[in-house]
Amino acid sequence: MLLSAAQAHANPEPPGNYDARVVGMGTIATPTVRNATALFHNPAQLDQIEKFSATIVATSLLVNLRAPFAGPGTEEDSGLIYAPLLFAGAAFRVHERVVLGVGGYVYTGFGGGYQAVDCVTNGDPSACEDERFRLAPPTDQEVTLFVTEFSVPVQVSISERLSIGLTLRVPWGRQDVRAHQDVPNCSSATRPECEGDPSISLAEQKLKGTGIPGVLLGISYRPIDGLTLAFAYRSKLWVNLEGTTSVPLVPGADPLQVSTSTRWYVPHMFRVGAAYTTWRDRFTLGVEFRVQLHEEANASQEFSLDTPLAPDTTAEFRWRNVYVGAIGAELWVAPRFAVRTGGTVGRSASRRETLTPFSPPPGIQFSAYVGFGVRAGPLDIDWAFGWGGGKAQRIEANQPLCSDADLRTTGAGANRVLTAQGGCAGSYDVDSWFLSLSATYSFGRPDIADVLAEPGN
């Protein structure tokens, strides 16, 4: 029998993404974004483009995970893991009331890995004395998941103060896994003598594919000069991933290649925000609240294995909905130089009972950001740096899913499902760092120095 290594990290949506101005303002986007990245945050904000605007963004996400592979006392750090988040897009005004655009970006990007892991057990460090649990030689354990989207937005100005926008999103994704797993030789549910008689095997998985398109709807309303109220709704979509799972059945022999398919869901999301610009357009203060409905979309991930030698596999996530609040500010300290700061507080999607070494711990997560921007005629160059993390979580006793791999029946027993492990005892922690750089070229926009030189400014 073989096991698909089907674990991924919880809440796979980095808060600090596009663009660097947005990141520097604490990820406040729906009421403040004013370039092509609006197609990602709130397409109604494309009404801020005078004639044409193009933006490129490179955000570097650096993550350090700390987790046990063999129970309490075996915790180890992953070391800094690098994941690039890229954006390229443009928008152009085709009518005094209509703006069109096009763009592509990495929506989710994450790579989790631990170097030279030498023992894998079910939360019991004493089991490492058993050679069956030891890895010889020590082996890297890695999980990578990313989803990209190709987007086409359209924005329409209903009036001078009301704008709506809609973005069509077409996803493509990839999921790679290289990790040792507990492989069942028989079912302890029906044969008690099998319990405690594991076989540890390296599973390698490479999956990719496209999915069902979704939309992003945005609305911006400016009831008075300087105040913007914004709303955005992102529809749920999914990516159909197909590829192979590779498992060596006999040491030294060629591994068995099994056709594998699964589906990854991007959940519904709602965002509301408000921003007020004052002091002759030099100072902006914004707030935003975001809800991601992971509980409905990411209860589990099902893997279908096309072989009679193995059952289908279920990765139990049981994620919770994510709620994130953010506040940020921007100050133009000189006609061509701005400084920014902000932060967020929110709840992780993870649950203790399904936590894995590749998941950020459950509970409250914080982030803080700083940044600055330089304007040179039609060109904006923005930079931002951020940190995110929360309190480490310790699981004192193994949760029910932390057990020997076991063939389990579902329904009337017609389908055999193997449930991947999670919730093993030990301490879990994560620290994330964001470094974002963006460049925007805008044609037809008044120069800020000329605006500030006008009477009264």
Side-chain angles (χ1 to χ4, degrees), residues 137-167:
T139 308
D140 297 346
Q141 311 291 304
E142 301 172 338
V143 171
T144 301
L145 168 71
F146 68 87
V147 176
T148 64
E149 291 184 355
F150 175 78
S151 297
V152 179
V154 57
Q155 176 272 326
V156 178
S157 296
I158 305 301
S159 68
E160 291 184 357
R161 298 191 178 276
L162 178 62
S163 171
I164 62 173
L166 185 71
T167 298

Side-chain angles (χ1 to χ4, degrees), residues 239-300:
V239 185
N240 296 315
L241 303 172
E242 297 182 347
T244 60
T245 297
S246 172
V247 175
L249 296 182
V250 180
D254 292 337
L256 177 66
Q257 304 288 335
V258 181
S259 296
T260 306
S261 61
T262 187
R263 178 175 288 178
W264 180 263
Y265 291 93
V266 176
H268 298 285
M269 182 176 70
F270 298 89
R271 299 173 73 170
V272 293
Y276 184 65
T277 300
T278 185
W279 195 29
R280 300 173 182 174
D281 294 335
R282 293 174 182 265
F283 179 72
T284 299
L285 178 66
V287 294
E288 188 173 276
F289 181 71
R290 180 169 74 248
V291 180
Q292 298 163 196
L293 302 183
H294 290 283
E295 188 170 331
E296 183 272 338
N298 303 118
S300 63

Side-chain angles (χ1 to χ4, degrees), residues 7-351:
Q7 300 295 351
H9 61 294
N11 190 18
E13 300 186 26
N17 35 36
Y18 313 117
D19 59 8
R21 176 173 176 264
V22 166
V23 176
M25 295 179 66
T27 75
I28 304 295
T30 51
T32 63
V33 64
R34 59 192 183 195
N35 56 29
T37 59
L39 65 85
F40 175 83
H41 297 289
N42 175 13
Q45 286 291 117
L46 291 173
D47 67 351
Q48 298 298 292
I49 293 175
E50 296 290 337
K51 293 183 179 180
F52 172 82
S53 181
T55 300
I56 56 174
V57 186
T59 297
S60 297
L61 170 61
L62 302 171
V63 179
N64 181 67
L65 297 165
R66 182 170 178 79
F69 277 86
T74 67
E75 289 82 4
E76 57 183 281
D77 290 305
S78 65
L80 285 180
I81 307 160
Y82 170 69
L85 303 174
L86 306 176
F87 174 98
F92 47 93
R93 185 169 293 279
V94 296
H95 184 271
E96 63 179 5
R97 292 180 178 268
V98 181
V99 175
L100 300 178
V102 64
Y105 46 84
V106 178
Y107 179 76
T108 288
F110 186 86
Y114 295 81
Q115 306 299 311
V117 175
D118 61 1
C119 181
V120 177
T121 77
N122 298 325
D124 180 9
S126 65
C128 291
E129 300 174 4
D130 189 329
E131 290 299 323
R132 294 175 300 175
F133 290 99
R134 301 200 66 85
L135 308 182
T139 308
D140 297 346
Q141 311 291 304
E142 301 172 338
V143 171
T144 301
L145 168 71
F146 68 87
V147 176
T148 64
E149 291 184 355
F150 175 78
S151 297
V152 179
V154 57
Q155 176 272 326
V156 178
S157 296
I158 305 301
S159 68
E160 291 184 357
R161 298 191 178 276
L162 178 62
S163 171
I164 62 173
L166 185 71
T167 298
L168 175 66
R169 307 152 46 222
V170 181
W172 183 89
R174 178 163 180 165
Q175 182 172 346
D176 294 343
V177 175
R178 186 176 188 272
H180 278 78
Q181 295 286 343
D182 190 6
V183 181
N185 291 314
C186 57
S187 173
S188 62
T190 57
R191 296 176 57 189
E193 66 273 17
C194 294
E195 189 168 359
D197 184 22
S199 175
I200 302 297
S201 185
L202 177 67
E204 296 190 63
Q205 193 176 76
K206 295 184 180 297
L207 308 174
K208 61 183 178 181
T210 57
I212 301 300
V215 298
L216 173 68
L217 170 67
I219 302 173
S220 292
Y221 177 57
R222 301 174 181 90
I224 60 174
D225 291 344
L227 177 63
T228 300
L229 306 177
F231 166 83
Y233 162 69
R234 183 191 70 194
S235 70
K236 176 182 175 181
L237 59 74
W238 56 86
V239 185
N240 296 315
L241 303 172
E242 297 182 347
T244 60
T245 297
S246 172
V247 175
L249 296 182
V250 180
D254 292 337
L256 177 66
Q257 304 288 335
V258 181
S259 296
T260 306
S261 61
T262 187
R263 178 175 288 178
W264 180 263
Y265 291 93
V266 176
H268 298 285
M269 182 176 70
F270 298 89
R271 299 173 73 170
V272 293
Y276 184 65
T277 300
T278 185
W279 195 29
R280 300 173 182 174
D281 294 335
R282 293 174 182 265
F283 179 72
T284 299
L285 178 66
V287 294
E288 188 173 276
F289 181 71
R290 180 169 74 248
V291 180
Q292 298 163 196
L293 302 183
H294 290 283
E295 188 170 331
E296 183 272 338
N298 303 118
S300 63
Q301 187 177 11
E302 309 290 338
F303 289 78
S304 297
L305 304 176
D306 187 18
T307 175
L309 298 177
D312 293 343
T313 303
T314 300
E316 295 286 351
F317 295 151
R318 305 178 189 176
W319 289 354
R320 300 180 299 181
N321 293 335
V322 170
Y323 305 96
V324 181
I327 185 170
E330 175 185 63
L331 175 64
W332 287 89
V333 296
R336 299 184 184 276
F337 184 78
V339 295
R340 303 166 183 127
T341 189
T344 69
V345 58
R347 185 178 75 171
S348 171
S350 301
R351 290 183 182 271

Side-chain angles (χ1 to χ4, degrees), residues 371-401:
F372 64 82
V374 176
R375 178 167 293 181
L379 185 64
D380 286 340
I381 302 295
D382 297 297
W383 175 92
F385 174 79
W387 167 87
K391 182 181 179 181
Q393 296 290 322
R394 184 172 181 83
I395 300 177
E396 298 295 341
N398 288 345
Q399 302 298 298
L401 286 179

